[in-house]
Amino acid sequence: GESVGLHLPTLSVQEGDNSIINCAYSNSASDYFIWYKQESGKGPQFIIDIRSNMDKRQGQRVTVLLNKTVKHLSLQIAATQPGDSAVYFCAENINTGTASKLTFGTGTRLQVTL
Amino acid sequence: DTGVSQDPRHKITKRGQNVTFRCDPISEHNRLYWYRQTLGQGPEFLTYFQNEAQLEKSRLLSDRFSAERPKGSFSTLEIQRTEQGDSAMYLCASSSPNLGTRGRDTQYFGPGTRLTVL
């Protein structure tokens, strides 16, 4: 299949280790943030989200942290598995009044080594 | 499968030809979005529908691009007189703020249509 993100920053982790993927967002008015996983040749797949009035949210094996002071978002994946290998994008939701549209950050490629 | 579907998955065309893509959103979602993604980049917003009304269009959407959602269900994106710079993945997403947990308007994406203009 084709490759998404040929020249993206890459994070290599060993299977079983924890992964931390970072993202800086741009708009202090953004009210909602989402992490998506994108495998080669597929559309982005929702992982976890967080509203701007929270600083941490946990899912199954994933945690999102939000630091509004420095406009920084991170995704933590516990016990990383080979199936986690993909490109990860953070997205900020900007509500314009007529639309909720997403602005995506530069993705990070996660490579899980055995 | 009750997710967002897109057709075709791949389209190869010659420069100057017109192409049309279709998106079928999740059935109970009233919002539908089109994005474009080029290699190495995140998706970029193109346009947005709430039911059948097109409420916002990006500056990226030139006059050669038109999108419709005539009955508030499926949507089509047409590109006229294609150019090589139109080569990209065209993604559709849908959402429903009324169904989102605690009002979060989560967008769910389809598999995309990969367009190659020769």
Side-chain angles (χ1 to χ4, degrees):
Chain A
E2 62 195 21
S3 177
V4 173
L6 294 176
H7 305 291
L8 292 171
T10 299
L11 174 67
S12 291
V13 297
Q14 276 201 310
E15 182 180 5
D17 287 352
N18 297 335
S19 304
I20 300 176
I21 301 171
N22 296 303
C23 174
Y25 65 92
S26 58
N27 194 327
S28 55
S30 296
D31 59 355
Y32 172 50
F33 303 88
I34 311 102
W35 279 99
Y36 286 94
K37 172 186 179 183
Q38 189 171 27
E39 296 173 287
S40 184
K42 297 183 179 180
Q45 175 189 355
F46 172 85
I47 302 173
I48 191 168
D49 58 6
I50 188 167
R51 290 196 68 87
S52 59
N53 61 354
M54 302 173 68
D55 53 21
K56 180 178 180 179
R57 188 157 185 256
Q58 287 184 292
Q60 188 175 16
R61 280 202 311 120
V62 294
T63 300
V64 55
L65 298 177
L66 175 63
N67 185 331
K68 293 183 289 292
T69 302
V70 294
K71 291 193 280 188
H72 182 269
L73 201 64
S74 68
L75 176 70
Q76 301 177 1
I77 305 173
T80 311
Q81 301 169 0
D84 295 327
S85 294
V87 176
Y88 289 80
F89 291 99
C90 67
E92 55 183 310
N93 180 76
I94 300 170
N95 194 324
T96 65
T98 56
S100 292
K101 60 182 182 181
L102 297 177
T103 298
F104 284 78
T106 303
T108 298
R109 178 185 303 280
L110 177 64
Q111 289 181 337
V112 182
T113 57
L114 301 177
Chain B
D1 189 344
T2 57
V4 178
S5 61
Q6 293 186 244
D7 184 71
R9 294 292 309 278
H10 302 274
K11 178 71 177 177
I12 299 174
T13 192
K14 293 182 179 179
R15 189 175 52 188
Q17 298 295 303
N18 299 343
V19 294
T20 301
F21 310 140
R22 177 180 170 123
C23 170
D24 286 89
I26 294 171
S27 60
E28 60 269 31
H29 285 183
N30 61 341
R31 292 182 172 181
L32 186 147
Y33 311 78
W34 285 98
Y35 291 81
R36 179 171 68 188
Q37 184 177 30
T38 52
L39 283 176
Q41 303 294 323
E44 295 175 294
F45 172 82
L46 291 179
T47 190
Y48 155 71
F49 290 85
Q50 178 149 317
N51 300 313
E52 66 277 6
Q54 187 174 18
L55 296 185
E56 186 154 342
K57 293 195 293 186
S58 163
R59 292 189 308 271
L60 295 174
L61 215 63
S62 77
D63 292 343
R64 296 184 296 104
F65 288 68
S66 61
E68 294 181 342
R69 194 182 184 199
K71 297 181 180 179
S73 56
F74 73 92
S75 175
T76 58
L77 177 68
E78 181 183 16
I79 309 174
Q80 295 182 325
R81 305 180 303 280
T82 52
E83 302 173 356
Q84 288 184 325
D86 297 332
S87 296
M89 174 81 86
Y90 290 85
L91 292 161
C92 175
S94 71
S95 73
S96 176
N98 297 326
L99 297 178
T101 305
R102 282 174 275 172
R104 294 196 299 274
D105 190 15
T106 303
Q107 294 183 29
Y108 296 91
F109 284 81
T113 295
R114 166 63 64 184
L115 173 65
T116 301
V117 182
L118 302 175

